[in-house]
Amino acid sequence: MASLMRQSCLSAFRTPLATRNAAGVSQVVAFHASAKKQILPPEPQSIRGTMNDPAPIPTPHPSHGSYHWTFERLVAVGLIPLTIAPFAAGSLNPTTDAILCSLIILHSHVGFQASIIDYFPTRRVPKTASFMNWLLRGFTLTTAVGLYELETNDVGLTETVKRIWKA
């Protein structure tokens, strides 16, 4: 009875690479230096519905799909002339500099949000995805406040870049 209890207790600590031989003794497979380590546990292994059920269609939303893609491209394309113009034509007025700052903030936010959606899917890690989205919102707000302060109380973004470049 004691050896059976000992074997059942030890089975909880057995690595996935361990196997049992004919005598019931646990052996580790050859050529493995350590146990298999997984960062995240596997998703639940269950099948919802039958194999004849169609794939679920997500509900349409105006901020997803082609509108979202078009908005991202317009912001990216808008950055090109606003980035080149101050250095090609000299200093710009504060309004153009403020538009450049706004597009930089939008472009960065949308890009990081796409990374969060890709690497932290809500169905897999909902709490982490929510935390990362709130963290992104906080950093975006902090960046916006910092650029606003640079624009209103200092020389502006393009002039700052020029001074850093010439330093």
Side-chain angles (χ1 to χ4, degrees):
M1 181 70 174
S3 70
L4 181 61
M5 182 66 156
R6 183 171 173 247
Q7 283 181 349
S8 66
C9 290
L10 288 177
S11 66
F13 298 107
R14 194 174 305 129
T15 64
L17 300 172
T19 59
R20 289 183 161 227
N21 64 7
V25 177
S26 178
Q27 294 179 329
V28 177
V29 179
F31 302 113
H32 287 279
S34 63
K36 182 178 176 184
K37 293 183 175 80
Q38 294 179 340
I39 295 174
L40 292 173
E43 291 185 16
Q45 303 295 317
S46 62
I47 299 172
R48 296 182 186 116
T50 65
M51 65 180 170
N52 293 325
D53 290 344
I57 299 172
T59 56
H61 195 274
S63 68
H64 296 157
S66 64
Y67 295 124
H68 186 79
W69 187 87
T70 304
F71 174 73
E72 287 177 354
R73 295 308 162 277
L74 287 174
V75 168
V77 168
L79 279 171
I80 296 169
L82 287 173
T83 305
I84 296 171
F87 304 105
S91 294
L92 293 178
N93 60 13
T95 305
T96 311
D97 212 21
I99 293 170
L100 174 63
C101 289
S102 300
L103 285 180
I104 288 172
I105 291 169
L106 275 172
H107 181 70
S108 300
H109 182 84
V110 169
F112 280 116
Q113 188 178 34
S115 297
I116 290 171
I117 290 169
D118 287 346
Y119 290 105
F120 302 103
T122 306
R123 66 177 168 76
R124 174 100 167 139
V125 283
K127 290 181 182 177
T128 305
S130 177
F131 172 74
M132 296 302 280
N133 279 319
W134 280 106
L135 191 66
L136 173 64
R137 290 177 191 129
F139 279 126
T140 301
L141 182 65
T142 304
T143 304
V145 169
L147 286 175
Y148 175 77
E149 288 293 322
L150 182 68
E151 286 295 315
T152 56
N153 298 329
D154 210 347
V155 293
L157 181 66
T158 55
E159 188 62 32
T160 302
V161 171
K162 283 182 184 178
R163 288 181 182 183
I164 292 171
W165 189 264
K166 290 179 182 178

